[in-house]
Amino acid sequence: MKRRTKIVVLGSALLLTAGVASAATASDTPRQQATASDTPRQQAAASDAPRQREAAALTGTAELYRSAGDDITFSFDAHLAAEDKADPSKATGTFEFSHYLNGEGARAEVKVDCLLTGGKVAVVSGVITDSDLPGAEGKRVGVTVHDLGRHDRLGYSWAATGSPVDAKELPKCVSSAPFEKVLKGTGDFTVVPWQPEL
C-alpha cells in the first residue's frame, strides 16, 4: 500500500513539474501577431503579448523661438524598427518643416532615410518629397534634436551648407549642432534612444 501511494505521489509531482515547465516555456516564447484565421481566444492572447521596443524614434511637433517673430515649425514621425537595430539607414517615416516671416517663406515634406539617436539626442535625415521652394525636391536634409523636456533644442544641416537647393549631396544622418530653442508652450519632441550591441 505504501509503495502504491509513493508511485501516485511521484506521478502527481512529475505532472505538476511538467505543467509548470510548459507554462514557463509558453510565457518565455514571444507570441505571434494575431491573424484573421485565429479564433477570438487566440486573437486576444496575441494582443496581450509583450511588444518589442523599437530601436529608435523621433516624434513630436514644436515651433522655434525667434525674436523677430518668424513662424518656424518642425514635425517628426521617424522610427527605426527593432529588427533593423543594426542599420539606422532602414529608418522609416517622415518629417516636415516650414519657415515664414511676413507672409513669405517655404515648407517641405521629407521622407526619412536615416535615424540615429544617442541618449536624448537624435539626428534624422531624409529626401524632400514635396516643397514650395523651387528646386528643393529630391534634396537630402538633416535635422538634430536634443530632447530636454520643456526646453528642447534643434539644429539643421542647412545652417552650415546654405539653402538645401544650393547644397551639394548631403550624406545620410548629417546635421548641425542643436543651436535653436523651442518656443515655450508650442510643443515638444521625444527621442527614443538607440541601444546598439557594441
Side-chain angles (χ1 to χ4, degrees), residues 130-151:
D130 186 38
S131 178
D132 51 9
L133 178 64
E137 290 184 26
K139 295 285 188 173
R140 179 178 288 117
V141 292
V143 181
T144 306
V145 170
H146 193 180
D147 178 5
L148 294 168
R150 291 176 293 175
H151 307 284

Side-chain angles (χ1 to χ4, degrees), residues 56-58 78-80 88-89 91-92 112-117 122-125 173 194:
L58 171 59
H79 304 269
L80 181 65
S89 68
T92 60
V112 170
D113 63 11
C114 187
L115 174 65
L116 275 173
T117 65
V123 179
V124 63
S125 66
C173 270
W194 185 48

